Amino acid sequence: MSETPETFTPRPYQAEAIKALIAGWRGTNNRLAVVLPTGAGKTVVFANLIDELLPQMNGQRALVIAHREELIEQAAAKIRAVRPDLRVGVVKAERDEHQDADVIVASIQTLAVERRRKAIENIGVVIVDECHHAAAPSYMTVLDHFGAWRGLPVAGFTATMTRADGGLAEVWQEVVFTLDILEMIEDGYLCDVRGKRVIVDGLDLDTVKTRAGDLQDGQLGQALEDSDAGPVVAQAYREHAAGRAGVVFTPTVATAQSMAEAFTAAGIPAAAVWGDMPRDDRAATLARYRAGDVQVLSNCMVLTEGFDAPWTSCAVIARPTKSAGLYCQMAGRALRLFDGKKDALILDVMGASTRHKLASIVDLTGREVVMQDEDQTLREAVREAEEKAQRRIDLSRVQVEEIDLFHSSSVRWLKTPSGVWFIPVADAAYVFLVRNPADRTYWLRRFDVNNGIVGPKHDVPLPLADAKAWLEQQAKAMGSRWLATRAASWRNKPASVKQLNFCRMKGIQVPSGSSAGEVSDLQAVHQFTTILARLNAMAAA
């Protein structure tokens, strides 16, 4: 099916990103960044951004900078699709199509050559794709040439605003728009994702040193080879992802090749691609993957950017990383929507590690989440976490409501450590409330030695205020007004020797200077807690 401009009409969040950039440029900052997850369509965003800006640029042109051939061709194609009337020129290597172009898409390698960048004039806006590379000297030189530090509007797009060697704050003054992967999943723009750990016995990651904040590629690759990880990972793929097209991310070319060999030996058609692979060979391998002749692509970190294969539904992270940003780039390659694709599967290759905190599926979102079950999807785990948090909030509100209600009462209400509110009405008689968790109503109960636990004739749970008032009447009706009233004069007297001896015998801690009423409360809580524990044990038996 041929693509039309309508295909690239901005989604709501893409339109918001464009508005955020334009509004940001009206302020004091001109070097602004947008962070969008893999699959969010950043090329669509900046193609539509260019469409909106050009009429206001008084004949000036837009320059898009990218660092890889796939990104350059992708950007040029998207801009042409959005605005077929525009002249889009490509500047890279032998191509030099800038003379009459409205929009120039250029490689950073070519622009790093002084005569090539000086030949490009009349630029009114610069867009940097994969802008987390922009702290590199080549980018800094090129951006400075075109006026990035002299007020020229510059927009950077990336899925991860992190760079191993730092320096990004020197380039980007503000991130004006960001989007969480989970938001994309919830809004139906990416598929849901689940993860499984693949444990490789003998893979000791503690032997791998850290360089620039992450595990060192060469040592990590050697550790994978030494532990013979390939067959283990291939077997896990057969078990969990047999019918899925997938990509394997590895730290070195050697591990990419050995992984492909292990998968093929396990009956899974696989091939490896890497950065220095001859262009025609890599194109041929990618074509075999598109055709389905290759089920799994193993790669040495070349498919983290600009790789668009939405039928991919499994990502194997055989490059354990401490970088949440890199993890998101790798895992995100499996999250794009595709006909018949229900979800994505992430296989995390794990080894023994006590020194390193490795990124995992929970790092795909900025929300607090703990994956309790590998069968859960990320969305399910986050929903469960949010529901638990809401229950905690609801319980907190109930507790605040209870405290306000009971402590303002003239009746002496006490509470057990398990949260049961009660009134002591005699030495071995109590009235108490049992919360109904379904709707926050309360059952009414009475306990005494002779009759055990009894309830009212019509045993229907009541709202808290009604239940409280009813039991207060019951306590008074049982002839214990003097005991149940907080204002009883005896409560302010010093604790008796008999009270203190009883507490010592039962192991009840009594704060120094406690009054008779306070010690009486401690005794009642201890006794009723013991009674409830005994009754619960009998019920369980």
mmCIF file of all heavy atoms in Angstrom, residues 404-445:
data_model
loop_
_atom_site.group_PDB
_atom_site.id
_atom_site.type_symbol
_atom_site.label_atom_id
_atom_site.label_comp_id
_atom_site.label_asym_id
_atom_site.label_seq_id
_atom_site.Cartn_x
_atom_site.Cartn_y
_atom_site.Cartn_z
ATOM 1 N N ASP A 404 -10.758 10.241 63.756
ATOM 2 C CA ASP A 404 -11.525 11.460 64.040
ATOM 3 C C ASP A 404 -12.816 11.128 64.779
ATOM 4 O O ASP A 404 -13.212 11.806 65.733
ATOM 5 C CB ASP A 404 -11.852 12.205 62.745
ATOM 6 C CG ASP A 404 -10.627 12.869 62.147
ATOM 7 O OD1 ASP A 404 -9.617 12.971 62.856
ATOM 8 O OD2 ASP A 404 -10.685 13.258 60.967
ATOM 9 N N LEU A 405 -13.481 10.059 64.323
ATOM 10 C CA LEU A 405 -14.787 9.705 64.864
ATOM 11 C C LEU A 405 -14.672 9.129 66.274
ATOM 12 O O LEU A 405 -15.370 9.535 67.198
ATOM 13 C CB LEU A 405 -15.471 8.691 63.933
ATOM 14 C CG LEU A 405 -16.972 8.462 64.112
ATOM 15 C CD1 LEU A 405 -17.735 9.764 63.918
ATOM 16 C CD2 LEU A 405 -17.463 7.416 63.106
ATOM 17 N N PHE A 406 -13.752 8.180 66.475
ATOM 18 C CA PHE A 406 -13.638 7.507 67.762
ATOM 19 C C PHE A 406 -13.006 8.394 68.826
ATOM 20 O O PHE A 406 -13.419 8.384 69.980
ATOM 21 C CB PHE A 406 -12.836 6.210 67.613
ATOM 22 C CG PHE A 406 -13.578 5.123 66.876
ATOM 23 C CD1 PHE A 406 -13.151 4.669 65.655
ATOM 24 C CD2 PHE A 406 -14.722 4.557 67.432
ATOM 25 C CE1 PHE A 406 -13.836 3.680 64.975
ATOM 26 C CE2 PHE A 406 -15.418 3.552 66.765
ATOM 27 C CZ PHE A 406 -14.979 3.114 65.532
ATOM 28 N N HIS A 407 -11.998 9.172 68.440
ATOM 29 C CA HIS A 407 -11.305 9.988 69.437
ATOM 30 C C HIS A 407 -12.128 11.196 69.870
ATOM 31 O O HIS A 407 -11.847 11.793 70.909
ATOM 32 C CB HIS A 407 -9.942 10.434 68.910
ATOM 33 C CG HIS A 407 -8.929 9.316 68.905
ATOM 34 N ND1 HIS A 407 -7.594 9.522 68.627
ATOM 35 C CD2 HIS A 407 -9.049 7.998 69.156
ATOM 36 C CE1 HIS A 407 -6.949 8.378 68.687
ATOM 37 N NE2 HIS A 407 -7.819 7.433 69.008
ATOM 38 N N SER A 408 -13.096 11.564 69.079
ATOM 39 C CA SER A 408 -13.968 12.670 69.482
ATOM 40 C C SER A 408 -15.144 12.188 70.321
ATOM 41 O O SER A 408 -15.942 12.995 70.805
ATOM 42 C CB SER A 408 -14.479 13.401 68.237
ATOM 43 O OG SER A 408 -15.282 12.523 67.449
ATOM 44 N N SER A 409 -15.252 10.880 70.502
ATOM 45 C CA SER A 409 -16.368 10.314 71.265
ATOM 46 C C SER A 409 -16.107 10.447 72.755
ATOM 47 O O SER A 409 -14.957 10.395 73.220
ATOM 48 C CB SER A 409 -16.554 8.836 70.897
ATOM 49 O OG SER A 409 -17.541 8.254 71.724
ATOM 50 N N SER A 410 -17.167 10.585 73.526
ATOM 51 C CA SER A 410 -17.045 10.617 74.984
ATOM 52 C C SER A 410 -16.857 9.223 75.558
ATOM 53 O O SER A 410 -16.485 9.064 76.716
ATOM 54 C CB SER A 410 -18.291 11.269 75.608
ATOM 55 O OG SER A 410 -19.453 10.487 75.291
ATOM 56 N N VAL A 411 -17.141 8.212 74.721
ATOM 57 C CA VAL A 411 -17.013 6.822 75.146
ATOM 58 C C VAL A 411 -15.569 6.359 74.964
ATOM 59 O O VAL A 411 -14.880 6.773 74.032
ATOM 60 C CB VAL A 411 -17.994 5.927 74.356
ATOM 61 C CG1 VAL A 411 -17.751 4.451 74.654
ATOM 62 C CG2 VAL A 411 -19.423 6.301 74.699
ATOM 63 N N ARG A 412 -15.112 5.480 75.826
ATOM 64 C CA ARG A 412 -13.732 5.004 75.828
ATOM 65 C C ARG A 412 -13.566 3.897 74.785
ATOM 66 O O ARG A 412 -13.668 2.713 75.072
ATOM 67 C CB ARG A 412 -13.399 4.497 77.227
ATOM 68 C CG ARG A 412 -12.031 3.877 77.414
ATOM 69 C CD ARG A 412 -11.965 3.344 78.842
ATOM 70 N NE ARG A 412 -10.800 2.517 79.079
ATOM 71 C CZ ARG A 412 -10.840 1.362 79.731
ATOM 72 N NH1 ARG A 412 -11.992 0.892 80.155
ATOM 73 N NH2 ARG A 412 -9.738 0.679 79.948
ATOM 74 N N TRP A 413 -13.325 4.277 73.539
ATOM 75 C CA TRP A 413 -13.037 3.314 72.472
ATOM 76 C C TRP A 413 -11.544 3.007 72.467
ATOM 77 O O TRP A 413 -10.701 3.901 72.570
ATOM 78 C CB TRP A 413 -13.420 3.883 71.104
ATOM 79 C CG TRP A 413 -14.893 3.829 70.792
ATOM 80 C CD1 TRP A 413 -15.795 4.833 70.979
ATOM 81 C CD2 TRP A 413 -15.599 2.735 70.233
ATOM 82 N NE1 TRP A 413 -17.045 4.435 70.553
ATOM 83 C CE2 TRP A 413 -16.952 3.138 70.086
ATOM 84 C CE3 TRP A 413 -15.244 1.444 69.836
ATOM 85 C CZ2 TRP A 413 -17.945 2.321 69.575
ATOM 86 C CZ3 TRP A 413 -16.227 0.620 69.323
ATOM 87 C CH2 TRP A 413 -17.557 1.045 69.189
ATOM 88 N N LEU A 414 -11.214 1.732 72.279
ATOM 89 C CA LEU A 414 -9.827 1.304 72.160
ATOM 90 C C LEU A 414 -9.655 0.525 70.862
ATOM 91 O O LEU A 414 -10.640 0.111 70.240
ATOM 92 C CB LEU A 414 -9.421 0.437 73.359
ATOM 93 C CG LEU A 414 -9.542 1.106 74.739
ATOM 94 C CD1 LEU A 414 -9.227 0.103 75.843
ATOM 95 C CD2 LEU A 414 -8.623 2.314 74.840
ATOM 96 N N LYS A 415 -8.394 0.313 70.472
ATOM 97 C CA LYS A 415 -8.113 -0.349 69.200
ATOM 98 C C LYS A 415 -6.999 -1.370 69.375
ATOM 99 O O LYS A 415 -5.948 -1.067 69.961
ATOM 100 C CB LYS A 415 -7.701 0.696 68.141
ATOM 101 C CG LYS A 415 -7.567 0.171 66.733
ATOM 102 C CD LYS A 415 -7.189 1.307 65.793
ATOM 103 C CE LYS A 415 -7.111 0.856 64.356
ATOM 104 N NZ LYS A 415 -6.696 1.949 63.452
ATOM 105 N N THR A 416 -7.219 -2.583 68.851
ATOM 106 C CA THR A 416 -6.181 -3.616 68.910
ATOM 107 C C THR A 416 -5.112 -3.345 67.853
ATOM 108 O O THR A 416 -5.358 -2.595 66.899
ATOM 109 C CB THR A 416 -6.777 -5.009 68.658
ATOM 110 O OG1 THR A 416 -7.165 -5.106 67.280
ATOM 111 C CG2 THR A 416 -7.979 -5.271 69.548
ATOM 112 N N PRO A 417 -3.934 -3.972 67.971
ATOM 113 C CA PRO A 417 -2.899 -3.799 66.933
ATOM 114 C C PRO A 417 -3.357 -4.208 65.547
ATOM 115 O O PRO A 417 -2.847 -3.690 64.545
ATOM 116 C CB PRO A 417 -1.760 -4.712 67.424
ATOM 117 C CG PRO A 417 -1.938 -4.778 68.901
ATOM 118 C CD PRO A 417 -3.419 -4.765 69.122
ATOM 119 N N SER A 418 -4.335 -5.120 65.455
ATOM 120 C CA SER A 418 -4.835 -5.541 64.142
ATOM 121 C C SER A 418 -5.903 -4.608 63.591
ATOM 122 O O SER A 418 -6.414 -4.820 62.499
ATOM 123 C CB SER A 418 -5.396 -6.966 64.217
ATOM 124 O OG SER A 418 -6.505 -7.018 65.118
ATOM 125 N N GLY A 419 -6.267 -3.565 64.362
ATOM 126 C CA GLY A 419 -7.190 -2.564 63.844
ATOM 127 C C GLY A 419 -8.642 -2.739 64.239
ATOM 128 O O GLY A 419 -9.518 -2.091 63.655
ATOM 129 N N VAL A 420 -8.931 -3.562 65.229
ATOM 130 C CA VAL A 420 -10.319 -3.771 65.669
ATOM 131 C C VAL A 420 -10.652 -2.770 66.786
ATOM 132 O O VAL A 420 -9.980 -2.736 67.832
ATOM 133 C CB VAL A 420 -10.530 -5.213 66.171
ATOM 134 C CG1 VAL A 420 -11.957 -5.393 66.696
ATOM 135 C CG2 VAL A 420 -10.242 -6.213 65.063
ATOM 136 N N TRP A 421 -11.689 -1.987 66.561
ATOM 137 C CA TRP A 421 -12.142 -1.023 67.564
ATOM 138 C C TRP A 421 -13.102 -1.721 68.527
ATOM 139 O O TRP A 421 -13.983 -2.460 68.109
ATOM 140 C CB TRP A 421 -12.847 0.150 66.902
ATOM 141 C CG TRP A 421 -11.921 1.078 66.153
ATOM 142 C CD1 TRP A 421 -11.644 1.049 64.828
ATOM 143 C CD2 TRP A 421 -11.178 2.150 66.696
ATOM 144 N NE1 TRP A 421 -10.759 2.045 64.492
ATOM 145 C CE2 TRP A 421 -10.448 2.756 65.628
ATOM 146 C CE3 TRP A 421 -11.037 2.696 67.978
ATOM 147 C CZ2 TRP A 421 -9.611 3.832 65.814
ATOM 148 C CZ3 TRP A 421 -10.192 3.784 68.161
ATOM 149 C CH2 TRP A 421 -9.485 4.343 67.089
ATOM 150 N N PHE A 422 -12.966 -1.427 69.844
ATOM 151 C CA PHE A 422 -13.815 -2.102 70.832
ATOM 152 C C PHE A 422 -14.009 -1.215 72.060
ATOM 153 O O PHE A 422 -13.277 -0.239 72.270
ATOM 154 C CB PHE A 422 -13.205 -3.451 71.237
ATOM 155 C CG PHE A 422 -11.952 -3.351 72.064
ATOM 156 C CD1 PHE A 422 -12.001 -3.473 73.461
ATOM 157 C CD2 PHE A 422 -10.711 -3.127 71.479
ATOM 158 C CE1 PHE A 422 -10.848 -3.378 74.232
ATOM 159 C CE2 PHE A 422 -9.558 -3.033 72.245
ATOM 160 C CZ PHE A 422 -9.617 -3.153 73.630
ATOM 161 N N ILE A 423 -15.018 -1.597 72.844
ATOM 162 C CA ILE A 423 -15.272 -0.941 74.132
ATOM 163 C C ILE A 423 -15.219 -2.020 75.210
ATOM 164 O O ILE A 423 -15.965 -3.009 75.145
ATOM 165 C CB ILE A 423 -16.659 -0.267 74.174
ATOM 166 C CG1 ILE A 423 -16.815 0.743 73.021
ATOM 167 C CG2 ILE A 423 -16.877 0.419 75.524
ATOM 168 C CD1 ILE A 423 -18.230 1.301 72.906
ATOM 169 N N PRO A 424 -14.358 -1.861 76.207
ATOM 170 C CA PRO A 424 -14.382 -2.807 77.333
ATOM 171 C C PRO A 424 -15.552 -2.463 78.259
ATOM 172 O O PRO A 424 -15.671 -1.322 78.718
ATOM 173 C CB PRO A 424 -13.033 -2.581 78.021
ATOM 174 C CG PRO A 424 -12.640 -1.189 77.646
ATOM 175 C CD PRO A 424 -13.283 -0.863 76.331
ATOM 176 N N VAL A 425 -16.432 -3.422 78.505
ATOM 177 C CA VAL A 425 -17.619 -3.143 79.329
ATOM 178 C C VAL A 425 -17.596 -3.898 80.650
ATOM 179 O O VAL A 425 -18.436 -3.688 81.510
ATOM 180 C CB VAL A 425 -18.918 -3.456 78.557
ATOM 181 C CG1 VAL A 425 -19.091 -2.488 77.407
ATOM 182 C CG2 VAL A 425 -18.907 -4.892 78.045
ATOM 183 N N ALA A 426 -16.643 -4.819 80.811
ATOM 184 C CA ALA A 426 -16.447 -5.531 82.081
ATOM 185 C C ALA A 426 -15.090 -6.210 81.988
ATOM 186 O O ALA A 426 -14.398 -6.109 80.973
ATOM 187 C CB ALA A 426 -17.573 -6.547 82.321
ATOM 188 N N ASP A 427 -14.720 -6.948 83.023
ATOM 189 C CA ASP A 427 -13.418 -7.585 83.010
ATOM 190 C C ASP A 427 -13.263 -8.559 81.856
ATOM 191 O O ASP A 427 -12.167 -8.727 81.322
ATOM 192 C CB ASP A 427 -13.176 -8.324 84.334
ATOM 193 C CG ASP A 427 -12.869 -7.339 85.466
ATOM 194 O OD1 ASP A 427 -12.517 -6.189 85.145
ATOM 195 O OD2 ASP A 427 -13.004 -7.742 86.631
ATOM 196 N N ALA A 428 -14.319 -9.210 81.430
ATOM 197 C CA ALA A 428 -14.240 -10.185 80.339
ATOM 198 C C ALA A 428 -15.416 -10.013 79.389
ATOM 199 O O ALA A 428 -15.968 -10.987 78.872
ATOM 200 C CB ALA A 428 -14.184 -11.605 80.885
ATOM 201 N N ALA A 429 -15.823 -8.778 79.158
ATOM 202 C CA ALA A 429 -16.924 -8.501 78.227
ATOM 203 C C ALA A 429 -16.553 -7.291 77.373
ATOM 204 O O ALA A 429 -16.049 -6.280 77.889
ATOM 205 C CB ALA A 429 -18.224 -8.255 78.992
ATOM 206 N N TYR A 430 -16.809 -7.408 76.088
ATOM 207 C CA TYR A 430 -16.412 -6.360 75.143
ATOM 208 C C TYR A 430 -17.465 -6.257 74.052
ATOM 209 O O TYR A 430 -18.074 -7.258 73.660
ATOM 210 C CB TYR A 430 -15.066 -6.687 74.492
ATOM 211 C CG TYR A 430 -13.962 -6.997 75.473
ATOM 212 C CD1 TYR A 430 -13.807 -8.287 75.977
ATOM 213 C CD2 TYR A 430 -13.099 -6.002 75.902
ATOM 214 C CE1 TYR A 430 -12.796 -8.581 76.883
ATOM 215 C CE2 TYR A 430 -12.088 -6.281 76.812
ATOM 216 C CZ TYR A 430 -11.940 -7.582 77.304
ATOM 217 O OH TYR A 430 -10.949 -7.861 78.200
ATOM 218 N N VAL A 431 -17.680 -5.046 73.558
ATOM 219 C CA VAL A 431 -18.439 -4.875 72.316
ATOM 220 C C VAL A 431 -17.444 -4.344 71.283
ATOM 221 O O VAL A 431 -16.566 -3.523 71.609
ATOM 222 C CB VAL A 431 -19.647 -3.925 72.478
ATOM 223 C CG1 VAL A 431 -20.724 -4.567 73.322
ATOM 224 C CG2 VAL A 431 -19.230 -2.579 73.062
ATOM 225 N N PHE A 432 -17.579 -4.814 70.033
ATOM 226 C CA PHE A 432 -16.567 -4.426 69.039
ATOM 227 C C PHE A 432 -17.151 -4.437 67.630
ATOM 228 O O PHE A 432 -18.250 -4.961 67.389
ATOM 229 C CB PHE A 432 -15.342 -5.328 69.136
ATOM 230 C CG PHE A 432 -15.577 -6.786 68.850
ATOM 231 C CD1 PHE A 432 -15.267 -7.344 67.611
ATOM 232 C CD2 PHE A 432 -16.100 -7.621 69.825
ATOM 233 C CE1 PHE A 432 -15.458 -8.681 67.359
ATOM 234 C CE2 PHE A 432 -16.298 -8.970 69.597
ATOM 235 C CZ PHE A 432 -15.973 -9.508 68.359
ATOM 236 N N LEU A 433 -16.377 -3.833 66.710
ATOM 237 C CA LEU A 433 -16.781 -3.689 65.309
ATOM 238 C C LEU A 433 -15.877 -4.540 64.422
ATOM 239 O O LEU A 433 -14.671 -4.593 64.631
ATOM 240 C CB LEU A 433 -16.669 -2.228 64.864
ATOM 241 C CG LEU A 433 -17.558 -1.222 65.612
ATOM 242 C CD1 LEU A 433 -17.218 0.197 65.166
ATOM 243 C CD2 LEU A 433 -19.034 -1.511 65.346
ATOM 244 N N VAL A 434 -16.499 -5.166 63.409
ATOM 245 C CA VAL A 434 -15.747 -5.934 62.418
ATOM 246 C C VAL A 434 -15.990 -5.295 61.053
ATOM 247 O O VAL A 434 -17.139 -5.223 60.591
ATOM 248 C CB VAL A 434 -16.184 -7.418 62.401
ATOM 249 C CG1 VAL A 434 -15.428 -8.170 61.305
ATOM 250 C CG2 VAL A 434 -15.935 -8.057 63.762
ATOM 251 N N ARG A 435 -14.921 -4.800 60.430
ATOM 252 C CA ARG A 435 -15.076 -4.093 59.162
ATOM 253 C C ARG A 435 -15.439 -5.056 58.037
ATOM 254 O O ARG A 435 -14.861 -6.130 57.879
ATOM 255 C CB ARG A 435 -13.789 -3.349 58.800
ATOM 256 C CG ARG A 435 -13.917 -2.507 57.522
ATOM 257 C CD ARG A 435 -12.583 -1.901 57.099
ATOM 258 N NE ARG A 435 -12.127 -0.902 58.035
ATOM 259 C CZ ARG A 435 -10.927 -0.910 58.601
ATOM 260 N NH1 ARG A 435 -10.092 -1.889 58.347
ATOM 261 N NH2 ARG A 435 -10.574 0.043 59.421
ATOM 262 N N ASN A 436 -16.405 -4.658 57.211
ATOM 263 C CA ASN A 436 -16.753 -5.382 55.987
ATOM 264 C C ASN A 436 -15.917 -4.776 54.856
ATOM 265 O O ASN A 436 -16.171 -3.644 54.443
ATOM 266 C CB ASN A 436 -18.247 -5.222 55.696
ATOM 267 C CG ASN A 436 -18.662 -5.833 54.365
ATOM 268 O OD1 ASN A 436 -17.885 -6.583 53.761
ATOM 269 N ND2 ASN A 436 -19.871 -5.525 53.902
ATOM 270 N N PRO A 437 -14.902 -5.487 54.342
ATOM 271 C CA PRO A 437 -13.991 -4.885 53.357
ATOM 272 C C PRO A 437 -14.665 -4.570 52.026
ATOM 273 O O PRO A 437 -14.139 -3.789 51.238
ATOM 274 C CB PRO A 437 -12.902 -5.962 53.179
ATOM 275 C CG PRO A 437 -13.563 -7.238 53.580
ATOM 276 C CD PRO A 437 -14.543 -6.888 54.656
ATOM 277 N N ALA A 438 -15.817 -5.151 51.788
ATOM 278 C CA ALA A 438 -16.466 -4.944 50.488
ATOM 279 C C ALA A 438 -16.959 -3.514 50.307
ATOM 280 O O ALA A 438 -16.843 -2.940 49.221
ATOM 281 C CB ALA A 438 -17.626 -5.923 50.315
ATOM 282 N N ASP A 439 -17.493 -2.924 51.393
ATOM 283 C CA ASP A 439 -18.086 -1.590 51.205
ATOM 284 C C ASP A 439 -17.875 -0.654 52.403
ATOM 285 O O ASP A 439 -18.578 0.326 52.551
ATOM 286 C CB ASP A 439 -19.592 -1.717 50.919
ATOM 287 C CG ASP A 439 -20.327 -2.469 52.028
ATOM 288 O OD1 ASP A 439 -19.697 -2.756 53.065
ATOM 289 O OD2 ASP A 439 -21.517 -2.769 51.843
ATOM 290 N N ARG A 440 -16.913 -1.008 53.268
ATOM 291 C CA ARG A 440 -16.570 -0.147 54.395
ATOM 292 C C ARG A 440 -17.710 0.023 55.389
ATOM 293 O O ARG A 440 -17.793 1.019 56.106
ATOM 294 C CB ARG A 440 -16.078 1.223 53.919
ATOM 295 C CG ARG A 440 -14.717 1.200 53.266
ATOM 296 C CD ARG A 440 -14.352 2.534 52.677
ATOM 297 N NE ARG A 440 -14.483 3.615 53.656
ATOM 298 C CZ ARG A 440 -14.395 4.901 53.338
ATOM 299 N NH1 ARG A 440 -14.177 5.256 52.102
ATOM 300 N NH2 ARG A 440 -14.512 5.828 54.262
ATOM 301 N N THR A 441 -18.604 -0.964 55.460
ATOM 302 C CA THR A 441 -19.587 -0.996 56.544
ATOM 303 C C THR A 441 -19.032 -1.883 57.664
ATOM 304 O O THR A 441 -17.960 -2.468 57.525
ATOM 305 C CB THR A 441 -20.935 -1.540 56.049
ATOM 306 O OG1 THR A 441 -20.715 -2.824 55.427
ATOM 307 C CG2 THR A 441 -21.561 -0.589 55.030
ATOM 308 N N TYR A 442 -19.789 -1.996 58.782
ATOM 309 C CA TYR A 442 -19.265 -2.696 59.964
ATOM 310 C C TYR A 442 -20.329 -3.600 60.579
ATOM 311 O O TYR A 442 -21.496 -3.204 60.742
ATOM 312 C CB TYR A 442 -18.803 -1.679 61.023
ATOM 313 C CG TYR A 442 -17.595 -0.895 60.593
ATOM 314 C CD1 TYR A 442 -17.702 0.155 59.681
ATOM 315 C CD2 TYR A 442 -16.331 -1.201 61.079
ATOM 316 C CE1 TYR A 442 -16.591 0.865 59.258
ATOM 317 C CE2 TYR A 442 -15.206 -0.494 60.687
ATOM 318 C CZ TYR A 442 -15.347 0.535 59.776
ATOM 319 O OH TYR A 442 -14.234 1.223 59.360
ATOM 320 N N TRP A 443 -19.891 -4.826 60.909
ATOM 321 C CA TRP A 443 -20.740 -5.716 61.687
ATOM 322 C C TRP A 443 -20.570 -5.402 63.169
ATOM 323 O O TRP A 443 -19.488 -4.978 63.621
ATOM 324 C CB TRP A 443 -20.356 -7.180 61.446
ATOM 325 C CG TRP A 443 -20.869 -7.726 60.146
ATOM 326 C CD1 TRP A 443 -22.158 -8.018 59.828
ATOM 327 C CD2 TRP A 443 -20.091 -8.054 58.995
ATOM 328 N NE1 TRP A 443 -22.246 -8.514 58.542
ATOM 329 C CE2 TRP A 443 -20.984 -8.548 58.011
ATOM 330 C CE3 TRP A 443 -18.726 -7.990 58.692
ATOM 331 C CZ2 TRP A 443 -20.560 -8.961 56.758
ATOM 332 C CZ3 TRP A 443 -18.306 -8.402 57.459
ATOM 333 C CH2 TRP A 443 -19.224 -8.883 56.501
ATOM 334 N N LEU A 444 -21.639 -5.631 63.958
ATOM 335 C CA LEU A 444 -21.635 -5.364 65.389
ATOM 336 C C LEU A 444 -21.477 -6.679 66.134
ATOM 337 O O LEU A 444 -22.158 -7.669 65.831
ATOM 338 C CB LEU A 444 -22.951 -4.695 65.809
ATOM 339 C CG LEU A 444 -23.408 -3.540 64.892
ATOM 340 C CD1 LEU A 444 -24.794 -3.076 65.281
ATOM 341 C CD2 LEU A 444 -22.424 -2.395 64.964
ATOM 342 N N ARG A 445 -20.585 -6.722 67.103
ATOM 343 C CA ARG A 445 -20.348 -7.951 67.841
ATOM 344 C C ARG A 445 -20.176 -7.657 69.340
ATOM 345 O O ARG A 445 -19.755 -6.565 69.736
ATOM 346 C CB ARG A 445 -19.067 -8.647 67.330
ATOM 347 C CG ARG A 445 -19.176 -9.150 65.903
ATOM 348 C CD ARG A 445 -20.112 -10.335 65.804
ATOM 349 N NE ARG A 445 -20.185 -10.871 64.457
ATOM 350 C CZ ARG A 445 -21.132 -10.543 63.574
ATOM 351 N NH1 ARG A 445 -22.063 -9.663 63.911
ATOM 352 N NH2 ARG A 445 -21.144 -11.085 62.377
#
